[in-house]
Amino acid sequence: RSYLQADTAVKKISGYITKKVASRLEELFKADRADFEHKWDDIKIFIEYGMLTDEKFFESAKKFALIKDTEGRYYTFDEYRTLVESAQTDKDGNVVYLYTTDPTSQYSYIKAATDRGYDVMVMDGQLDSHFVGLLESKLEKTRCVRVDSDVVDRLIPKADDNKHHVDLTPVQRDMLTALFRRATPKVDKTEFVVTFEAISAEANPVILTQNEYMRRMKEMAAVQGGMAFYGELPDSYNMIVNTEAPVVKKIRQEADAELLPVVAPFQDEIDRLNADLKTLRESAPDGKLTDEQKGRSTDLEQKIAAARNDIDRKAAEWADGKPLVKQVIDLALLANGLLRGESLSEFVARSVKML
């Protein structure tokens, strides 16, 4: 096999066959596009494989290869760029191709994007995790972004702005972070990073997003050898708490009234200890602490950690008596297919009780 692959005559034959196949497919596309579109979902995997593995085939196939969107419409590469270029060009001049890998489970994200006037490609094939990378490398000034990788306002950044910024004091941020972390059920091989953003009153109270790069690496690792490191990493989600949502405002108001007075003394202690730690480190002009200073520094760091643990503990105790916090988190998990087993059963029981 290796001998044949390296043989000049075999290479010429292979190149000729590839050229003829591409030519014939282009003829079929031009002769009856409707029929070609009808067959596309069945033949797509073979054409994509050829485009991924053969540079010359890609150049030929880009004339008839199709992109399907969530409305079931088919476009050539040139047609699709014309369709989305005006609305989906970011502040750096890149045309952003939004895509979904599962139109059913990612429906809410798709709707938010289409309501904004964006178009979303369907990339649910076996090779599509690789194919989106090929599109980025072959199409000039193009980025591919999965529709659930960020909130809709940041999928295609139009300008540098800070409109989602939330004004929280350090103690409020620590308190609310601990509160939402406590109320998040354990999901196997999954981590959640809690953040706060002022999105809009109409948006969901809690939104889950996944980093585009890390998720894509994990998907590629599932079908490609040599990438086991990425495959072993846990799934990481950003848990974005929408502080403009009415229910989150209610939670925050209750926490400020009932929990903040309890945890504020611990934050005051953290601030004082941090100030002492800063003074201690600045006392060494060359940055090198003496053994005595190192011991003092370690003691201060341990006390800071203990005070943070106290904030977490108080927030956890408070969260256990607030089913509304768990409810908004479970709704986000449910929307992303992450609420299962005992956690799903508890959610149903809690929902019935709250009704």
Side-chain angles (χ1 to χ4, degrees):
R1 175 179 164 183
S2 297
Y3 173 79
L4 289 174
Q5 287 176 332
D7 185 79
T8 304
V10 172
K11 286 183 177 180
K12 288 182 179 179
I13 294 171
S14 176
Y16 177 76
I17 293 173
T18 298
K19 183 178 179 180
K20 293 298 290 183
V21 168
S23 177
R24 180 57 179 156
L25 286 169
E26 185 177 359
E27 289 175 8
L28 293 172
F29 171 72
K30 290 180 177 179
D32 191 343
R33 175 163 175 167
D35 185 60
F36 192 85
E37 290 181 357
H38 181 70
K39 293 182 172 68
W40 175 253
D41 290 346
D42 295 323
I43 65 174
K44 181 178 83 165
I45 187 172
F46 304 106
I47 295 176
E48 284 187 348
Y49 180 77
M51 296 175 78
L52 285 162
T53 57
D54 192 309
E55 180 79 21
K56 290 182 179 178
F57 184 76
F58 177 89
E59 291 303 317
S60 299
K62 68 181 183 180
K63 301 171 187 175
F64 57 80
L66 298 177
I67 289 173
K68 179 182 177 181
D69 71 4
T70 53
E71 298 296 321
R73 298 170 299 205
Y74 294 87
Y75 304 89
T76 63
F77 288 2
D78 288 342
E79 289 169 349
Y80 195 72
R81 192 173 190 88
T82 300
L83 174 73
V84 303
E85 194 166 18
S86 60
Q88 296 180 207
T89 298
D90 67 16
K91 61 185 177 65
D92 298 317
N94 297 304
V95 179
V96 180
Y97 285 28
L98 300 178
Y99 70 96
T100 174
T101 55
D102 188 337
T104 301
S105 66
Q106 294 159 14
Y107 175 79
S108 61
Y109 299 93
I110 294 169
K111 187 176 186 305
T114 54
D115 285 350
R116 186 60 62 89
Y118 300 151
D119 194 83
V120 181
M121 305 186 298
V122 177
M123 304 295 282
D124 58 355
Q126 293 170 279
L127 299 177
D128 281 337
S129 58
H130 296 271
F131 199 69
V132 292
L134 182 70
L135 291 178
E136 288 177 324
S137 66
K138 294 294 186 181
L139 304 182
E140 185 180 359
K141 290 188 74 67
T142 298
R143 291 194 303 117
C144 293
V145 177
R146 203 168 87 173
V147 73
D148 62 345
S149 64
D150 211 331
V151 295
V152 68
D153 288 343
R154 284 202 301 265
L155 287 174
I156 306 174
K158 299 293 185 178
D160 293 315
D161 59 49
N162 200 27
K163 64 181 180 180
H164 289 167
H165 176 71
V166 180
D167 288 322
L168 293 172
T169 65
V171 64
Q172 285 177 317
R173 189 171 295 276
D174 287 349
M175 173 186 72
L176 291 172
T177 299
L179 177 60
F180 278 86
R181 271 206 310 254
R182 171 68 176 188
T184 303
K186 301 295 183 183
V187 180
D188 188 41
K189 294 184 179 180
T190 304
E191 296 178 349
F192 299 95
V193 179
V194 179
T195 61
F196 301 92
E197 296 187 26
I199 302 174
S200 74
E202 294 74 28
N204 290 341
V206 176
I207 300 169
L208 298 183
T209 65
Q210 277 189 290
N211 177 270
E212 175 72 17
Y213 174 78
M214 289 304 298
R215 180 197 48 73
R216 198 184 294 187
M217 289 300 103
K218 282 181 65 67
E219 288 177 350
M220 292 174 65
V223 295
Q224 180 175 318
M227 300 182 67
F229 168 75
Y230 289 104
E232 292 301 317
L233 292 174
D235 290 327
S236 180
Y237 287 86
N238 293 317
M239 180 177 286
I240 303 171
V241 181
N242 175 20
T243 57
E244 289 300 299
V247 66
V248 175
K249 285 186 175 181
K250 179 180 179 181
I251 292 169
R252 183 178 171 184
Q253 288 169 355
E254 291 183 2
D256 283 346
E258 301 171 12
L259 182 58
L260 187 58
V262 177
V263 301
F266 297 112
Q267 184 63 47
D268 291 341
E269 178 71 2
I270 290 172
D271 293 341
R272 184 185 65 77
L273 292 169
N274 275 326
D276 291 346
L277 186 60
K278 181 181 179 182
T279 301
L280 177 64
R281 289 172 176 171
E282 290 175 347
S283 67
D286 57 358
K288 295 182 179 180
L289 301 177
T290 65
D291 289 342
E292 181 181 349
Q293 288 173 323
K294 288 179 181 178
R296 174 63 178 156
S297 175
T298 300
D299 180 59
L300 289 171
E301 290 170 352
Q302 290 175 345
K303 288 180 178 179
I304 291 171
R308 292 196 184 281
N309 288 336
D310 286 332
I311 291 177
D312 288 349
R313 178 172 52 82
K314 292 296 183 182
E317 292 172 356
W318 191 81
D320 288 341
K322 299 294 178 179
L324 198 58
V325 182
K326 294 180 181 292
Q327 195 74 359
V328 296
I329 291 173
D330 284 355
L331 284 170
L333 295 173
L334 185 66
N336 286 268
L338 295 172
L339 196 65
R340 310 183 188 99
E342 183 180 358
S343 296
L344 178 58
S345 178
E346 290 177 354
F347 168 76
V348 172
R350 187 188 321 117
S351 298
V352 172
K353 187 175 182 179
M354 291 177 73
L355 288 172

